[in-house]
Amino acid sequence: MSIAKRLRGSLPLFVMAPSLTLIGVGVYGFIATTFVLSLTSSRMFPKFDFVGFDQYVRLFSNDRWHIAVHNMVIFGGLYMVLGTLLGLLLAIFIDQRIRAEGFFRTVYLYPMALSFVVTGVIWQWMLNPSLGIEKLLHDWGFVEAKFRWLVDPEWAIYTVVIAGVWQVTGFVMAIFLAGLRGVDTEILKAARVDGASPWKTYTRIIIPALRPAFMTVLVVEGNLAIKSYDLVIALTKGGPGISTELPSTFMYSTTFNRNDLALGASSAVIMLMTVAAIVIPYLYMELKDDKR
Amino acid sequence: MGNLAVQDLTKSYGSVHVLKHINLAIDEGDFLVLVGPSGCGKSTLLSIIAGLEQQTSGSILISGKVVDTLEPKERDIAMVFQSYALYPAMTVADNIGFALEMSGVPKPERLVRIQKVAELLQIEHLLQRKPGQLSGGQRQRVAMGRALVREPKLFLFDEPLSNLDAKLRVEMRTEIKKLHTRLQTTIVYVTHDQIEAMTMATRIAVMKDGLIQQFGTPSDIYDRPANTFVATFMGSPPMNLVPVTVEDGQLIMASGERLSIPVGVNAAAITGGKLLLGLRPEWIALADQGAKDSFRMEIEVVEPTGPDLYVNLNFGGQAIIARLPAGESVKQGEYAQFLIDSSKTMLFDADTGMAL
Amino acid sequence: MTNANVVTANLDARATKSRQRQRIANRVLVYAVLVFFAILFLAPVYTMFLTALKTMPEIQQGNLFALPQNPSFQAFGHVWSEACISVRCTGLRGNVLNSFLMVIPAVLISVSLGALNGYVLTKWRFKYDNLIFGIILFGSFIPFQIVLIPMAFTLGKLHLAGSISGLVLVHVVYGLAFTTLFFRNYFVTVPDDIIKAAKVDGAGFWMTFYRILLPISWPIIMVAVIWQFTGIWNDFLFGVAFTGGENQPLTVALNNLVNTTTGTKAYNQDMAAAMIAAIPTLVVYVFAGKFFVRGLMAGSVKG
């Protein structure tokens, strides 16, 4: 092969080189670095004295981290379940050949365009105990009504769920709607000819056909839940006290406010591993399907 | 215009051999059709001729010049794709002129040549449209225009008619043939449709499993197929193959019927063994009682096609099909006497499938 | 007509009528649910807007959904140019500019690189291209906490710490996975024959991209731009981690402003600030959202 031809042959890789370098360093290199740091006793600055898995032992005996994980389970679980169910419900209702479909779709989807900080600030206002929803209920005549979740350590985490679900539902709906529109209409006709009721048609034919959409939705939601940081900071700042601490807020404050770099790194590694446990099987399946 | 030679060409993907020692040569002005079932390697061969894929070994010569290391654009070829592959964002005129633009032909000359081709193909009124606004037949014409405008040495067609409906396909077939006659271009045309091959080609290469089964003129291929695969692949309904053996200078069927050895086959050269007698459906005709090489057969099904009758016959336990002119009086379920024309029939070795 | 026929005809009519009633009831239910949720989804932004137009005394007297008696943009003016964010009292204007200075280059670079990656991955296939795609794609799923520490030190080494350029770099790196994914999935649907035809016609790598692919890529360019614009504009984590003081993007400044409370919380100012932060992405969404949904449905979301 001539040199010119060989150069031409490697042009594609050449074009991708900047991206691959950025991702190689910024994603994989940094993951490795963070992992290495989590094995040291670094405090304010990186220090490469290996102490094995000591930081992980410290992490899992840290009460704050326990609260963060506990909150993650509550928040993540409710966020995924409620987001998925509401999104699916809205998608099915929108798919009933309604008028003004575009309007409803736009309304449900717009929260996705907002920053989590904006969402947090708005809901902080709506949920504030003196002038927010509680006051509204009083004005409407429910004088006894109490709605103080935002300042109640027991309940504050559920305000994060509310705001989070409000924001994600439209996106979930859009994915399900795309899935519903992709269901083969001949199958639906066949089901009608076979005498299936609408309910049966949904539970037996359409929803099972949405399996790939469910996969996408759950992976996206799980991923968003674990990453959630801005929403909590803007809505509750992790409080009252540390009652709405999440792994993401734990990592940030441990690393940057408490100067406990290695402990922060170890919490980040645990977060990554949780995400990887969800995402890698999903990616593997998606890419395997894609092979042509 | 130019000629084309393919010399001892092979193509492998790892241990999968897609093309095995292909040799072909056609003259300037020839219309070569590569025909075969899907997966036979015909499209790969075309891609290698175009320079879109690299052969594993062997050479391609266009106009006597080895082009193995040349890029597609340097080979002086043009190609029409099965999906037409029109550039969606460009107008028809820009589509046709793109290759000229790429080779640096100045705009005024480009416009003249686009116009000329558009007139030739009767698509002048479409020049400012986008491909999305065209019908299937119109797209097909634009795709051809894109090839014609370059006036290359060699035209390559990759199943260009397979996305058209039946009626349009026949029309375009005729049109391509007319263009070829008129422009005397050298064409390599890939198809899986044996009728396209028969109607358009001056040379046919029948391919299967990466091998050329037979290379010749349409009448060679049809009348004297080299093996049973070619015999049954070309022609519809396909050639009947009746198992026979040889005895006392005659063919004998399992049921005992005796037939003459085909004219042109050296009876002495046949050394026993299992044979297949090849009978094209039109080589069977109604006959008088007692005529030579005529047999009584049961008429099982009669399928009128309009001009012809396809008659399914039971010939000594073998199912065969005859093609008779419409109007012959044959009735389903009855028996009649049929003549087998031994001046045309062929013999194949049942084990190797090769013609004798 | 016989008696029996009359009876069955009546029964049929009654059945038809009840089926019709059933259908109307179903429609009412469908619209009731949809409208209920529409109100639920609109209420927060509605109250944000109303509150931003009220004065503090009015907020204290009325409730979330009460209409303002004397709508005023005074709160907007205050947060735009006077409000105190931490210790600086120059309002949000500087931060709005910061956000634009960050988002525009970051979107342009990440979308361009993503388009090229998608082109190479689908139309110039090479060994291990699927593996490389997987490696890139994984980057879109990592929790960013895992890269915060090394990135902070790296930006320091590059003398980009605390700067907007640093933030642009960060957003390009972590946006690439998404933009590559979008373009790759879109270009996969473009027939390979078109690329071959361009090759035969004499177009090279760049010409094919520029003249053949790019002009038909508008749907996915819209998706990638909208996605990146909203994602980067709305980012908080990188902004708070890697910038400080004057260089903070709007989201970080908003959060600081809301938390810089002296005396009673000025909810009208909070809401006005939130609106300023929300408007650019809302505008993009309202005017271009349908392209986004259409593009997403066209191929970037499987299933």
Side-chain angles (χ1 to χ4, degrees):
Chain A
M1 246 193 275
S2 67
I3 291 175
K5 193 152 192 181
R6 206 173 292 180
L7 271 181
R8 229 176 295 146
S10 56
L11 184 61
L13 274 175
F14 209 71
V15 167
M16 284 191 73
S19 302
L20 291 178
T21 312
L22 288 178
I23 289 173
V25 174
V27 175
Y28 294 92
F30 285 4
I31 289 176
T33 312
T34 304
F35 178 66
V36 169
L37 282 175
S38 76
L39 302 177
T40 68
S41 67
S42 311
R43 301 290 297 188
M44 196 158 163
F45 293 102
K47 171 165 81 167
F48 293 96
D49 58 332
F50 290 93
V51 295
F53 288 91
D54 281 9
Q55 299 295 353
Y56 293 88
V57 176
R58 269 182 75 209
L59 182 69
F60 282 101
S61 55
N62 184 314
D63 286 342
R64 229 183 146 99
W65 174 253
H66 278 284
I67 292 173
V69 170
H70 180 73
N71 279 334
M72 187 67 235
V73 172
I74 296 178
F75 168 68
L78 283 173
Y79 178 77
M80 288 168 77
V81 169
L82 293 177
T84 309
L85 288 182
L86 272 181
L88 179 62
L89 181 82
L90 291 180
I92 289 176
F93 274 69
I94 276 196
D95 198 33
Q96 303 301 315
R97 300 209 190 114
I98 54 152
R99 282 159 200 270
E101 183 193 313
F103 166 79
F104 285 111
R105 238 177 24 205
T106 310
V107 166
Y108 299 150
L109 204 49
Y110 87 89
M112 197 189 74
L114 298 180
S115 157
F116 281 110
V117 180
V118 172
T119 303
V121 171
I122 301 175
W123 282 92
Q124 192 190 45
W125 155 235
M126 303 236 309
L127 296 170
N128 91 75
S130 50
L131 298 168
I133 291 177
E134 188 178 301
K135 176 107 182 293
L136 188 71
L137 293 172
H138 291 176
D139 284 5
W140 283 350
F142 304 96
V143 190
E144 294 295 304
K146 278 222 156 55
F147 195 70
R148 311 186 152 242
W149 287 6
L150 196 60
V151 289
D152 182 338
E154 283 282 313
W155 288 92
I157 188 69
Y158 297 98
T159 64
V160 185
V161 174
I162 293 175
V165 169
W166 175 78
Q167 183 144 25
V168 82
T169 298
F171 185 63
V172 174
M173 175 218 66
I175 294 175
F176 277 129
L177 193 58
L180 286 172
R181 297 280 150 89
V183 175
D184 185 354
T185 50
E186 291 213 333
I187 295 179
L188 302 185
K189 283 182 198 154
R192 258 177 76 184
V193 172
D194 287 345
S197 66
W199 172 253
K200 277 268 184 258
T201 311
Y202 270 104
T203 53
R204 297 286 302 280
I205 296 166
I206 299 178
I207 292 177
L210 291 180
R211 233 186 64 132
F214 270 100
M215 287 289 292
T216 308
V217 162
L218 290 176
V219 168
V220 169
E221 283 175 340
N223 192 37
L224 279 175
I226 293 169
K227 281 180 185 172
S228 276
Y229 173 74
D230 346 13
L231 183 62
V232 187
I233 291 296
L235 185 60
T236 66
K237 291 188 249 357
I242 53 166
S243 61
T244 50
E245 186 87 281
L246 286 177
S248 56
T249 58
F250 174 91
M251 186 272 161
Y252 193 92
S253 59
T254 306
T255 309
F256 296 106
N257 304 341
R258 267 169 243 271
N259 297 327
D260 203 341
L261 213 120
L263 188 65
S266 67
S267 69
V269 170
I270 298 294
M271 288 175 70
L272 175 74
M273 280 161 64
T274 315
V275 172
I278 307 173
V279 165
I280 288 177
Y282 170 76
L283 277 187
Y284 180 73
M285 279 165 58
E286 286 274 294
L287 289 177
K288 211 175 62 178
D289 288 353
D290 257 17
K291 280 228 172 94
R292 297 170 304 165
Chain B
M1 295 309 120
N3 56 24
L4 167 74
V6 177
Q7 294 175 345
D8 201 29
L9 193 87
T10 54
K11 173 73 179 172
S12 318
Y13 296 106
S15 60
V16 185
H17 304 292
V18 186
L19 293 174
K20 303 162 191 164
H21 303 287
I22 303 286
N23 282 289
L24 281 173
I26 54 169
D27 291 329
E28 197 169 313
D30 261 335
F31 194 134
L32 167 65
V33 173
L34 304 174
V35 64
S38 56
C40 71
K42 57 189 191 297
S43 287
T44 308
L45 177 55
L46 194 75
S47 286
I48 292 175
I49 295 173
L52 292 169
E53 282 190 58
Q54 192 70 41
Q55 63 264 42
T56 309
S57 68
S59 279
I60 306 278
L61 285 79
I62 298 176
S63 292
K65 196 175 127 208
V66 178
V67 296
D68 296 339
T69 57
L70 298 185
E71 289 286 305
K73 62 175 174 184
E74 298 159 338
R75 295 189 178 197
D76 206 359
I77 51 154
M79 188 158 173
V80 177
F81 292 85
Q82 181 174 10
S83 59
Y84 316 137
L86 301 181
Y87 309 129
M90 292 185 198
T91 62
V92 167
D94 288 345
N95 260 284
I96 295 175
F98 188 66
L100 299 180
E101 189 189 335
M102 289 299 107
S103 57
V105 176
K107 189 156 190 187
E109 188 191 333
R110 247 162 40 211
L111 292 178
V112 172
R113 285 168 72 174
I114 293 168
Q115 190 62 32
K116 216 172 88 191
V117 166
E119 277 167 28
L120 183 71
L121 293 167
Q122 295 158 5
I123 49 172
E124 297 138 279
H125 59 295
L126 304 175
L127 282 176
Q128 294 316 313
R129 298 217 194 143
K130 293 272 176 72
Q133 303 163 295
L134 304 179
S135 69
Q138 289 169 334
R139 284 180 208 190
Q140 169 64 49
R141 281 165 190 274
V142 175
M144 297 216 327
R146 203 165 61 176
L148 284 171
V149 77
R150 303 178 54 179
E151 298 168 11
K153 291 204 188 97
L154 191 60
F155 284 95
L156 306 175
F157 287 82
D158 188 7
E159 308 217 20
L161 303 183
S162 58
N163 284 340
L164 299 177
D165 64 48
K167 184 166 172 289
L168 208 49
R169 192 150 59 217
V170 175
E171 279 175 31
M172 288 306 298
R173 205 166 73 196
T174 315
E175 196 142 342
I176 293 174
K177 185 159 185 171
K178 268 191 206 158
L179 275 172
H180 175 245
T181 319
R182 197 161 135 203
L183 304 172
Q184 282 303 308
T185 47
T186 316
I187 294 178
V188 181
Y189 187 109
V190 163
T191 183
H192 61 268
D193 180 348
Q194 50 94 14
I195 297 183
E196 270 176 34
M198 289 299 297
T199 49
M200 297 197 288
T202 62
R203 289 281 184 285
I204 295 179
V206 183
M207 295 181 66
K208 187 193 163 209
D209 299 335
L211 285 169
I212 293 192
Q213 305 290 319
Q214 190 173 4
F215 176 49
T217 64
S219 59
D220 286 346
I221 303 267
Y222 191 78
D223 296 334
R224 295 288 117 190
N227 57 37
T228 51
F229 171 76
V230 178
T232 50
F233 187 78
M234 303 297 288
S236 171
M239 186 182 272
N240 298 296
L241 295 174
V242 179
V244 290
T245 49
V246 170
E247 204 173 277
D248 311 330
Q250 272 195 313
L251 301 177
I252 179 161
M253 289 175 62
S255 53
E257 272 89 349
R258 287 172 174 272
L259 299 95
S260 300
I261 288 180
V263 178
V265 174
N266 180 3
I270 305 171
T271 53
K274 286 181 193 157
L275 300 170
L276 291 168
L277 177 67
L279 285 174
R280 289 257 176 231
E282 58 272 25
W283 297 343
I284 303 168
L286 279 173
D288 294 331
Q289 203 74 36
K292 185 171 179 283
D293 275 330
S294 78
F295 303 90
R296 197 173 146 76
M297 304 183 198
E298 187 188 352
I299 300 163
E300 291 185 324
V301 179
V302 178
E303 299 169 328
T305 65
D308 295 318
L309 299 174
Y310 293 161
V311 187
N312 292 42
L313 299 170
N314 181 342
F315 178 23
Q318 285 292 315
I320 64 170
I321 296 180
R323 181 199 299 221
L324 304 180
E328 295 272 28
S329 59
V330 281
K331 277 225 181 78
Q332 223 152 286
E334 293 185 351
Y335 283 80
Q337 195 75 11
F338 288 91
L339 181 79
I340 288 170
D341 186 348
S342 64
S343 71
K344 292 180 173 165
T345 52
M346 298 186 62
L347 269 185
F348 299 93
D349 184 319
D351 293 324
T352 65
M354 301 306 289
L356 296 176
Chain C
M1 224 186 256
T2 64
N3 264 349
N5 273 343
V6 171
V7 171
T8 46
N10 274 344
L11 279 176
D12 275 356
R14 217 174 299 159
T16 316
K17 213 174 228 168
S18 92
R19 223 174 296 148
Q20 222 159 19
R21 258 202 303 265
Q22 177 71 42
R23 204 171 298 152
I24 290 169
N26 279 343
R27 294 315 272 175
V28 170
L29 176 74
V30 166
Y31 282 105
V33 170
L34 288 175
V35 168
F36 172 75
F37 277 100
I39 292 171
L40 219 59
F41 274 82
L42 284 172
V45 166
Y46 173 77
T47 176
M48 167 171 73
F49 187 56
L50 291 191
T51 308
L53 297 177
K54 292 179 189 169
T55 58
M56 269 322 280
E58 205 183 336
I59 290 172
Q60 272 142 4
Q61 279 154 26
N63 64 40
L64 281 177
F65 298 136
L67 289 170
Q69 272 121 33
N70 303 305
S72 118
F73 285 91
Q74 189 256 327
F76 283 96
H78 181 78
V79 295
W80 180 254
S81 54
E82 292 159 34
C84 296
I85 297 141
S86 305
V87 289
R88 284 177 310 113
C89 293
T90 52
L92 291 172
R93 357 170 231 197
N95 306 102
V96 173
L97 182 68
N98 288 346
S99 275
F100 278 110
L101 288 178
M102 161 187 79
V103 81
I104 292 169
V107 168
L108 289 181
I109 298 171
S110 62
V111 171
S112 311
L113 288 177
L116 285 175
N117 293 344
Y119 172 50
V120 171
L121 284 172
T122 53
K123 299 302 173 208
W124 294 79
R125 314 195 73 162
F126 47 91
K127 244 187 176 173
Y128 306 121
D129 51 0
N130 244 337
L131 179 70
I132 288 189
F133 177 54
I135 285 172
I136 295 176
L137 193 54
F138 182 71
S140 67
F141 290 103
I142 57 165
F144 293 131
Q145 281 76 15
I146 195 77
V147 297
L148 281 185
I149 302 170
M151 183 55 97
F153 288 108
T154 308
L155 287 178
K157 288 246 166 65
L158 296 172
H159 302 290
L160 291 171
S163 74
I164 293 175
S165 329
L167 216 46
V168 170
L169 175 69
V170 173
H171 283 302
V172 167
V173 173
Y174 302 107
L176 275 177
F178 292 100
T179 55
T180 302
L181 169 71
F182 288 141
F183 281 98
R184 187 251 184 203
N185 283 2
Y186 184 79
F187 288 153
V188 149
T189 65
V190 176
D192 287 349
D193 273 358
I194 288 185
I195 306 303
K196 287 186 194 163
K199 221 175 183 178
V200 171
D201 277 350
F205 179 88
W206 295 107
M207 196 55 94
T208 307
F209 179 66
Y210 179 70
R211 288 289 300 277
I212 313 287
L213 273 183
L214 216 48
I216 55 168
S217 303
W218 287 111
I220 204 65
I221 293 175
M222 290 297 285
V223 169
V225 167
I226 294 173
W227 178 273
Q228 284 299 90
F229 181 87
T230 48
I232 297 172
W233 182 274
N234 289 340
D235 162 71
F236 177 76
L237 181 63
F238 289 142
V240 77
F242 302 136
T243 59
E246 302 202 312
N247 286 337
Q248 282 175 344
L250 185 53
T251 47
V252 180
L254 166 66
N255 187 56
N256 288 350
L257 181 140
V258 171
N259 290 330
T260 313
T261 315
T262 43
T264 46
K265 224 164 159 19
Y267 283 113
N268 53 351
Q269 290 175 19
D270 288 3
M271 291 303 114
M275 272 200 78
I276 290 173
I279 280 170
T281 49
L282 278 183
V283 166
V284 166
Y285 172 72
V286 168
F287 286 102
K290 65 167 181 260
F291 299 110
F292 184 75
V293 176
R294 212 179 292 157
L296 268 187
M297 287 183 175
S300 46
V301 174
K302 280 182 41 170

